[in-house]
Amino acid sequence: MIHEHKEKKTVVTLTVAECGEFHGFGEYHENITSAREAAAIFKRIPPERMNGIPSIGINIHTEGTERYEDTQIDIISGRTADLEVLDYVPDITDNPKALEVIAELIGRFPGIEVRGSLEKWQKPEGEKEKQTGRPSIREKLEGKKAVIGQRDKSEKEIPENGKGEKMPTPQGLAL
């Protein structure tokens, strides 16, 4: 049976939290569609009432899945953008739209400390394949399937002793 994999559409949005550690403390905004809007909401949070360090996060929702399956992580926390953490979130780094939104977001905060870089995940101009620096889960699975298929094919074609006869098992018993 052959299963064709169709690429599912993803929706990239942003979140703004008054308290990055506990999003339920203070203001929390989600489903923000632009970096400009997220930056404006972030800058409107009054500093005198902050319950913690404010943050801006990115959320990736795959259409046809439940919201609890979304990938969400804070990118900006206070005056710091942590891009190093993206090494551990391939759902974001494998999504060119998400990388574009993160780059635009960081551009809206010129004095911010940026830890890490987006360069290793961004595609050079004209390149069509994703450049992640590591194989995706799908590529790993396809590779393993190919190895297993080749092994199974070899087992069927080549007899165990190479002469067309089955090799006896220990104690001379054939299976």
Side-chain angles (χ1 to χ4, degrees), residues 142-171:
E142 288 170 2
K144 287 183 183 211
K145 283 181 179 179
V147 168
I148 291 168
Q150 186 63 36
R151 182 196 66 207
D152 291 347
K153 183 178 177 185
S154 295
E155 287 176 357
K156 289 177 186 175
E157 292 176 354
I158 302 169
E160 290 182 32
N161 67 2
K163 297 179 182 176
E165 302 171 9
K166 281 202 159 221
M167 293 286 289
T169 59
Q171 285 94 25

PDB file of all heavy atoms in Angstrom, residues 142-171:
ATOM      1  N   GLU A 142      12.173   8.272   5.640  1.00  0.00           N
ATOM      2  CA  GLU A 142      12.298   7.768   4.276  1.00  0.00           C
ATOM      3  C   GLU A 142      13.599   6.987   4.108  1.00  0.00           C
ATOM      4  O   GLU A 142      13.629   5.948   3.450  1.00  0.00           O
ATOM      5  CB  GLU A 142      12.220   8.927   3.278  1.00  0.00           C
ATOM      6  CG  GLU A 142      10.826   9.504   3.164  1.00  0.00           C
ATOM      7  CD  GLU A 142      10.767  10.799   2.365  1.00  0.00           C
ATOM      8  OE1 GLU A 142      11.812  11.253   1.854  1.00  0.00           O
ATOM      9  OE2 GLU A 142       9.672  11.357   2.255  1.00  0.00           O
ATOM     10  N   GLY A 143      14.681   7.468   4.718  1.00  0.00           N
ATOM     11  CA  GLY A 143      15.962   6.769   4.654  1.00  0.00           C
ATOM     12  C   GLY A 143      15.885   5.409   5.318  1.00  0.00           C
ATOM     13  O   GLY A 143      16.390   4.412   4.789  1.00  0.00           O
ATOM     14  N   LYS A 144      15.246   5.345   6.482  1.00  0.00           N
ATOM     15  CA  LYS A 144      15.116   4.068   7.187  1.00  0.00           C
ATOM     16  C   LYS A 144      14.245   3.101   6.400  1.00  0.00           C
ATOM     17  O   LYS A 144      14.548   1.907   6.328  1.00  0.00           O
ATOM     18  CB  LYS A 144      14.549   4.288   8.585  1.00  0.00           C
ATOM     19  CG  LYS A 144      15.562   4.912   9.508  1.00  0.00           C
ATOM     20  CD  LYS A 144      15.032   5.068  10.899  1.00  0.00           C
ATOM     21  CE  LYS A 144      16.089   5.777  11.725  1.00  0.00           C
ATOM     22  NZ  LYS A 144      16.101   5.418  13.088  1.00  0.00           N
ATOM     23  N   LYS A 145      13.168   3.603   5.796  1.00  0.00           N
ATOM     24  CA  LYS A 145      12.315   2.739   4.982  1.00  0.00           C
ATOM     25  C   LYS A 145      13.095   2.172   3.804  1.00  0.00           C
ATOM     26  O   LYS A 145      12.936   1.005   3.455  1.00  0.00           O
ATOM     27  CB  LYS A 145      11.093   3.521   4.476  1.00  0.00           C
ATOM     28  CG  LYS A 145      10.032   3.735   5.523  1.00  0.00           C
ATOM     29  CD  LYS A 145       8.858   4.489   4.920  1.00  0.00           C
ATOM     30  CE  LYS A 145       7.763   4.715   5.926  1.00  0.00           C
ATOM     31  NZ  LYS A 145       6.646   5.471   5.339  1.00  0.00           N
ATOM     32  N   ALA A 146      13.949   2.996   3.186  1.00  0.00           N
ATOM     33  CA  ALA A 146      14.743   2.535   2.051  1.00  0.00           C
ATOM     34  C   ALA A 146      15.714   1.440   2.485  1.00  0.00           C
ATOM     35  O   ALA A 146      15.871   0.424   1.788  1.00  0.00           O
ATOM     36  CB  ALA A 146      15.501   3.704   1.419  1.00  0.00           C
ATOM     37  N   VAL A 147      16.356   1.619   3.630  1.00  0.00           N
ATOM     38  CA  VAL A 147      17.303   0.620   4.138  1.00  0.00           C
ATOM     39  C   VAL A 147      16.572  -0.693   4.444  1.00  0.00           C
ATOM     40  O   VAL A 147      17.022  -1.768   4.077  1.00  0.00           O
ATOM     41  CB  VAL A 147      18.045   1.149   5.386  1.00  0.00           C
ATOM     42  CG1 VAL A 147      18.806   0.047   6.092  1.00  0.00           C
ATOM     43  CG2 VAL A 147      18.975   2.284   4.998  1.00  0.00           C
ATOM     44  N   ILE A 148      15.433  -0.595   5.100  1.00  0.00           N
ATOM     45  CA  ILE A 148      14.662  -1.796   5.440  1.00  0.00           C
ATOM     46  C   ILE A 148      14.177  -2.491   4.174  1.00  0.00           C
ATOM     47  O   ILE A 148      14.253  -3.712   4.052  1.00  0.00           O
ATOM     48  CB  ILE A 148      13.483  -1.437   6.374  1.00  0.00           C
ATOM     49  CG1 ILE A 148      14.021  -1.025   7.744  1.00  0.00           C
ATOM     50  CG2 ILE A 148      12.509  -2.604   6.502  1.00  0.00           C
ATOM     51  CD1 ILE A 148      12.985  -0.383   8.653  1.00  0.00           C
ATOM     52  N   GLY A 149      13.699  -1.714   3.205  1.00  0.00           N
ATOM     53  CA  GLY A 149      13.244  -2.291   1.943  1.00  0.00           C
ATOM     54  C   GLY A 149      14.371  -2.994   1.210  1.00  0.00           C
ATOM     55  O   GLY A 149      14.185  -4.094   0.681  1.00  0.00           O
ATOM     56  N   GLN A 150      15.550  -2.375   1.196  1.00  0.00           N
ATOM     57  CA  GLN A 150      16.708  -2.991   0.540  1.00  0.00           C
ATOM     58  C   GLN A 150      17.117  -4.273   1.261  1.00  0.00           C
ATOM     59  O   GLN A 150      17.424  -5.275   0.640  1.00  0.00           O
ATOM     60  CB  GLN A 150      17.879  -2.009   0.498  1.00  0.00           C
ATOM     61  CG  GLN A 150      19.070  -2.506  -0.282  1.00  0.00           C
ATOM     62  CD  GLN A 150      18.751  -2.722  -1.749  1.00  0.00           C
ATOM     63  OE1 GLN A 150      17.986  -1.986  -2.346  1.00  0.00           O
ATOM     64  NE2 GLN A 150      19.327  -3.744  -2.328  1.00  0.00           N
ATOM     65  N   ARG A 151      17.098  -4.254   2.587  1.00  0.00           N
ATOM     66  CA  ARG A 151      17.445  -5.445   3.368  1.00  0.00           C
ATOM     67  C   ARG A 151      16.466  -6.576   3.091  1.00  0.00           C
ATOM     68  O   ARG A 151      16.858  -7.714   2.859  1.00  0.00           O
ATOM     69  CB  ARG A 151      17.443  -5.114   4.866  1.00  0.00           C
ATOM     70  CG  ARG A 151      17.857  -6.305   5.733  1.00  0.00           C
ATOM     71  CD  ARG A 151      17.497  -6.127   7.166  1.00  0.00           C
ATOM     72  NE  ARG A 151      16.038  -6.119   7.269  1.00  0.00           N
ATOM     73  CZ  ARG A 151      15.364  -5.498   8.235  1.00  0.00           C
ATOM     74  NH1 ARG A 151      15.973  -4.837   9.163  1.00  0.00           N
ATOM     75  NH2 ARG A 151      14.046  -5.539   8.259  1.00  0.00           N
ATOM     76  N   ASP A 152      15.165  -6.253   3.103  1.00  0.00           N
ATOM     77  CA  ASP A 152      14.148  -7.276   2.839  1.00  0.00           C
ATOM     78  C   ASP A 152      14.300  -7.854   1.433  1.00  0.00           C
ATOM     79  O   ASP A 152      14.180  -9.065   1.228  1.00  0.00           O
ATOM     80  CB  ASP A 152      12.745  -6.700   3.022  1.00  0.00           C
ATOM     81  CG  ASP A 152      12.437  -6.372   4.473  1.00  0.00           C
ATOM     82  OD1 ASP A 152      13.200  -6.803   5.367  1.00  0.00           O
ATOM     83  OD2 ASP A 152      11.439  -5.669   4.712  1.00  0.00           O
ATOM     84  N   LYS A 153      14.592  -6.990   0.461  1.00  0.00           N
ATOM     85  CA  LYS A 153      14.776  -7.440  -0.920  1.00  0.00           C
ATOM     86  C   LYS A 153      15.996  -8.359  -1.010  1.00  0.00           C
ATOM     87  O   LYS A 153      15.950  -9.396  -1.657  1.00  0.00           O
ATOM     88  CB  LYS A 153      14.959  -6.225  -1.831  1.00  0.00           C
ATOM     89  CG  LYS A 153      15.089  -6.560  -3.285  1.00  0.00           C
ATOM     90  CD  LYS A 153      15.224  -5.287  -4.111  1.00  0.00           C
ATOM     91  CE  LYS A 153      15.438  -5.628  -5.562  1.00  0.00           C
ATOM     92  NZ  LYS A 153      15.692  -4.432  -6.361  1.00  0.00           N
ATOM     93  N   SER A 154      17.077  -7.997  -0.338  1.00  0.00           N
ATOM     94  CA  SER A 154      18.303  -8.808  -0.347  1.00  0.00           C
ATOM     95  C   SER A 154      18.056 -10.165   0.284  1.00  0.00           C
ATOM     96  O   SER A 154      18.561 -11.184  -0.196  1.00  0.00           O
ATOM     97  CB  SER A 154      19.421  -8.097   0.406  1.00  0.00           C
ATOM     98  OG  SER A 154      19.778  -6.919  -0.253  1.00  0.00           O
ATOM     99  N   GLU A 155      17.299 -10.204   1.354  1.00  0.00           N
ATOM    100  CA  GLU A 155      17.021 -11.470   2.027  1.00  0.00           C
ATOM    101  C   GLU A 155      16.230 -12.413   1.137  1.00  0.00           C
ATOM    102  O   GLU A 155      16.404 -13.626   1.185  1.00  0.00           O
ATOM    103  CB  GLU A 155      16.284 -11.228   3.339  1.00  0.00           C
ATOM    104  CG  GLU A 155      17.161 -10.641   4.422  1.00  0.00           C
ATOM    105  CD  GLU A 155      16.396 -10.314   5.693  1.00  0.00           C
ATOM    106  OE1 GLU A 155      15.160 -10.493   5.723  1.00  0.00           O
ATOM    107  OE2 GLU A 155      17.040  -9.862   6.646  1.00  0.00           O
ATOM    108  N   LYS A 156      15.359 -11.882   0.299  1.00  0.00           N
ATOM    109  CA  LYS A 156      14.547 -12.713  -0.584  1.00  0.00           C
ATOM    110  C   LYS A 156      15.354 -13.217  -1.775  1.00  0.00           C
ATOM    111  O   LYS A 156      15.141 -14.317  -2.266  1.00  0.00           O
ATOM    112  CB  LYS A 156      13.342 -11.927  -1.090  1.00  0.00           C
ATOM    113  CG  LYS A 156      12.309 -11.673  -0.013  1.00  0.00           C
ATOM    114  CD  LYS A 156      11.174 -10.842  -0.549  1.00  0.00           C
ATOM    115  CE  LYS A 156      10.213 -10.477   0.565  1.00  0.00           C
ATOM    116  NZ  LYS A 156       9.164  -9.581   0.105  1.00  0.00           N
ATOM    117  N   GLU A 157      16.287 -12.395  -2.278  1.00  0.00           N
ATOM    118  CA  GLU A 157      17.022 -12.730  -3.488  1.00  0.00           C
ATOM    119  C   GLU A 157      18.231 -13.617  -3.242  1.00  0.00           C
ATOM    120  O   GLU A 157      18.576 -14.436  -4.066  1.00  0.00           O
ATOM    121  CB  GLU A 157      17.491 -11.442  -4.181  1.00  0.00           C
ATOM    122  CG  GLU A 157      16.361 -10.631  -4.749  1.00  0.00           C
ATOM    123  CD  GLU A 157      16.838  -9.318  -5.348  1.00  0.00           C
ATOM    124  OE1 GLU A 157      18.027  -8.980  -5.236  1.00  0.00           O
ATOM    125  OE2 GLU A 157      16.001  -8.630  -5.935  1.00  0.00           O
ATOM    126  N   ILE A 158      18.924 -13.442  -2.126  1.00  0.00           N
ATOM    127  CA  ILE A 158      20.178 -14.160  -1.890  1.00  0.00           C
ATOM    128  C   ILE A 158      19.974 -15.222  -0.826  1.00  0.00           C
ATOM    129  O   ILE A 158      19.630 -14.910   0.305  1.00  0.00           O
ATOM    130  CB  ILE A 158      21.278 -13.179  -1.439  1.00  0.00           C
ATOM    131  CG1 ILE A 158      21.469 -12.100  -2.500  1.00  0.00           C
ATOM    132  CG2 ILE A 158      22.584 -13.922  -1.156  1.00  0.00           C
ATOM    133  CD1 ILE A 158      22.336 -10.955  -2.051  1.00  0.00           C
ATOM    134  N   PRO A 159      20.180 -16.496  -1.168  1.00  0.00           N
ATOM    135  CA  PRO A 159      20.077 -17.545  -0.149  1.00  0.00           C
ATOM    136  C   PRO A 159      21.143 -17.337   0.920  1.00  0.00           C
ATOM    137  O   PRO A 159      22.158 -16.691   0.686  1.00  0.00           O
ATOM    138  CB  PRO A 159      20.326 -18.837  -0.915  1.00  0.00           C
ATOM    139  CG  PRO A 159      20.239 -18.488  -2.350  1.00  0.00           C
ATOM    140  CD  PRO A 159      20.465 -17.017  -2.479  1.00  0.00           C
ATOM    141  N   GLU A 160      20.905 -17.885   2.081  1.00  0.00           N
ATOM    142  CA  GLU A 160      21.771 -17.655   3.217  1.00  0.00           C
ATOM    143  C   GLU A 160      23.211 -18.077   2.980  1.00  0.00           C
ATOM    144  O   GLU A 160      24.128 -17.441   3.447  1.00  0.00           O
ATOM    145  CB  GLU A 160      21.211 -18.363   4.452  1.00  0.00           C
ATOM    146  CG  GLU A 160      19.946 -17.697   4.956  1.00  0.00           C
ATOM    147  CD  GLU A 160      19.412 -18.362   6.201  1.00  0.00           C
ATOM    148  OE1 GLU A 160      20.200 -18.881   6.995  1.00  0.00           O
ATOM    149  OE2 GLU A 160      18.191 -18.355   6.357  1.00  0.00           O
ATOM    150  N   ASN A 161      23.466 -19.210   2.256  1.00  0.00           N
ATOM    151  CA  ASN A 161      24.844 -19.647   2.070  1.00  0.00           C
ATOM    152  C   ASN A 161      25.378 -19.306   0.676  1.00  0.00           C
ATOM    153  O   ASN A 161      26.477 -19.695   0.328  1.00  0.00           O
ATOM    154  CB  ASN A 161      24.997 -21.144   2.357  1.00  0.00           C
ATOM    155  CG  ASN A 161      24.277 -22.015   1.343  1.00  0.00           C
ATOM    156  OD1 ASN A 161      23.686 -21.498   0.402  1.00  0.00           O
ATOM    157  ND2 ASN A 161      24.331 -23.318   1.546  1.00  0.00           N
ATOM    158  N   GLY A 162      24.587 -18.588  -0.108  1.00  0.00           N
ATOM    159  CA  GLY A 162      25.037 -18.141  -1.411  1.00  0.00           C
ATOM    160  C   GLY A 162      24.984 -19.212  -2.492  1.00  0.00           C
ATOM    161  O   GLY A 162      25.353 -18.980  -3.622  1.00  0.00           O
ATOM    162  N   LYS A 163      24.557 -20.461  -2.182  1.00  0.00           N
ATOM    163  CA  LYS A 163      24.513 -21.542  -3.172  1.00  0.00           C
ATOM    164  C   LYS A 163      23.089 -21.999  -3.461  1.00  0.00           C
ATOM    165  O   LYS A 163      22.876 -23.037  -4.041  1.00  0.00           O
ATOM    166  CB  LYS A 163      25.312 -22.743  -2.660  1.00  0.00           C
ATOM    167  CG  LYS A 163      26.777 -22.452  -2.468  1.00  0.00           C
ATOM    168  CD  LYS A 163      27.480 -23.674  -1.954  1.00  0.00           C
ATOM    169  CE  LYS A 163      28.941 -23.376  -1.703  1.00  0.00           C
ATOM    170  NZ  LYS A 163      29.628 -24.513  -1.106  1.00  0.00           N
ATOM    171  N   GLY A 164      22.138 -21.288  -2.993  1.00  0.00           N
ATOM    172  CA  GLY A 164      20.759 -21.682  -3.242  1.00  0.00           C
ATOM    173  C   GLY A 164      20.224 -22.631  -2.194  1.00  0.00           C
ATOM    174  O   GLY A 164      19.119 -23.127  -2.316  1.00  0.00           O
ATOM    175  N   GLU A 165      21.011 -22.943  -1.183  1.00  0.00           N
ATOM    176  CA  GLU A 165      20.563 -23.839  -0.126  1.00  0.00           C
ATOM    177  C   GLU A 165      20.452 -23.052   1.173  1.00  0.00           C
ATOM    178  O   GLU A 165      21.201 -22.136   1.411  1.00  0.00           O
ATOM    179  CB  GLU A 165      21.586 -24.959   0.075  1.00  0.00           C
ATOM    180  CG  GLU A 165      21.854 -25.771  -1.164  1.00  0.00           C
ATOM    181  CD  GLU A 165      23.039 -26.705  -0.949  1.00  0.00           C
ATOM    182  OE1 GLU A 165      23.520 -26.821   0.190  1.00  0.00           O
ATOM    183  OE2 GLU A 165      23.464 -27.310  -1.933  1.00  0.00           O
ATOM    184  N   LYS A 166      19.525 -23.467   1.995  1.00  0.00           N
ATOM    185  CA  LYS A 166      19.399 -22.826   3.306  1.00  0.00           C
ATOM    186  C   LYS A 166      20.499 -23.337   4.209  1.00  0.00           C
ATOM    187  O   LYS A 166      20.850 -24.504   4.178  1.00  0.00           O
ATOM    188  CB  LYS A 166      18.042 -23.128   3.939  1.00  0.00           C
ATOM    189  CG  LYS A 166      16.938 -22.293   3.389  1.00  0.00           C
ATOM    190  CD  LYS A 166      15.817 -22.245   4.393  1.00  0.00           C
ATOM    191  CE  LYS A 166      14.975 -21.047   4.083  1.00  0.00           C
ATOM    192  NZ  LYS A 166      14.572 -20.365   5.242  1.00  0.00           N
ATOM    193  N   MET A 167      21.052 -22.454   4.988  1.00  0.00           N
ATOM    194  CA  MET A 167      22.080 -22.837   5.956  1.00  0.00           C
ATOM    195  C   MET A 167      21.411 -23.554   7.111  1.00  0.00           C
ATOM    196  O   MET A 167      20.322 -23.156   7.556  1.00  0.00           O
ATOM    197  CB  MET A 167      22.785 -21.598   6.502  1.00  0.00           C
ATOM    198  CG  MET A 167      23.606 -20.852   5.484  1.00  0.00           C
ATOM    199  SD  MET A 167      25.115 -21.694   5.084  1.00  0.00           S
ATOM    200  CE  MET A 167      26.018 -21.461   6.595  1.00  0.00           C
ATOM    201  N   PRO A 168      22.017 -24.635   7.595  1.00  0.00           N
ATOM    202  CA  PRO A 168      21.437 -25.312   8.770  1.00  0.00           C
ATOM    203  C   PRO A 168      21.585 -24.434  10.006  1.00  0.00           C
ATOM    204  O   PRO A 168      22.515 -23.658  10.109  1.00  0.00           O
ATOM    205  CB  PRO A 168      22.235 -26.585   8.891  1.00  0.00           C
ATOM    206  CG  PRO A 168      23.498 -26.330   8.140  1.00  0.00           C
ATOM    207  CD  PRO A 168      23.201 -25.289   7.102  1.00  0.00           C
ATOM    208  N   THR A 169      20.654 -24.566  10.894  1.00  0.00           N
ATOM    209  CA  THR A 169      20.730 -23.847  12.159  1.00  0.00           C
ATOM    210  C   THR A 169      21.648 -24.604  13.099  1.00  0.00           C
ATOM    211  O   THR A 169      22.008 -25.744  12.809  1.00  0.00           O
ATOM    212  CB  THR A 169      19.318 -23.707  12.780  1.00  0.00           C
ATOM    213  OG1 THR A 169      18.814 -25.018  12.976  1.00  0.00           O
ATOM    214  CG2 THR A 169      18.402 -22.915  11.895  1.00  0.00           C
ATOM    215  N   PRO A 170      22.036 -24.032  14.207  1.00  0.00           N
ATOM    216  CA  PRO A 170      22.869 -24.779  15.156  1.00  0.00           C
ATOM    217  C   PRO A 170      22.200 -26.113  15.509  1.00  0.00           C
ATOM    218  O   PRO A 170      20.974 -26.234  15.504  1.00  0.00           O
ATOM    219  CB  PRO A 170      22.940 -23.851  16.367  1.00  0.00           C
ATOM    220  CG  PRO A 170      22.706 -22.486  15.805  1.00  0.00           C
ATOM    221  CD  PRO A 170      21.782 -22.680  14.640  1.00  0.00           C
ATOM    222  N   GLN A 171      22.934 -27.081  15.807  1.00  0.00           N
ATOM    223  CA  GLN A 171      22.535 -28.456  16.072  1.00  0.00           C
ATOM    224  C   GLN A 171      21.962 -29.114  14.816  1.00  0.00           C
ATOM    225  O   GLN A 171      21.265 -30.127  14.897  1.00  0.00           O
ATOM    226  CB  GLN A 171      21.506 -28.568  17.228  1.00  0.00           C
ATOM    227  CG  GLN A 171      22.091 -28.380  18.601  1.00  0.00           C
ATOM    228  CD  GLN A 171      21.971 -26.950  19.063  1.00  0.00           C
ATOM    229  OE1 GLN A 171      21.110 -26.213  18.625  1.00  0.00           O
ATOM    230  NE2 GLN A 171      22.832 -26.554  19.976  1.00  0.00           N
TER     231      GLN A 171
END
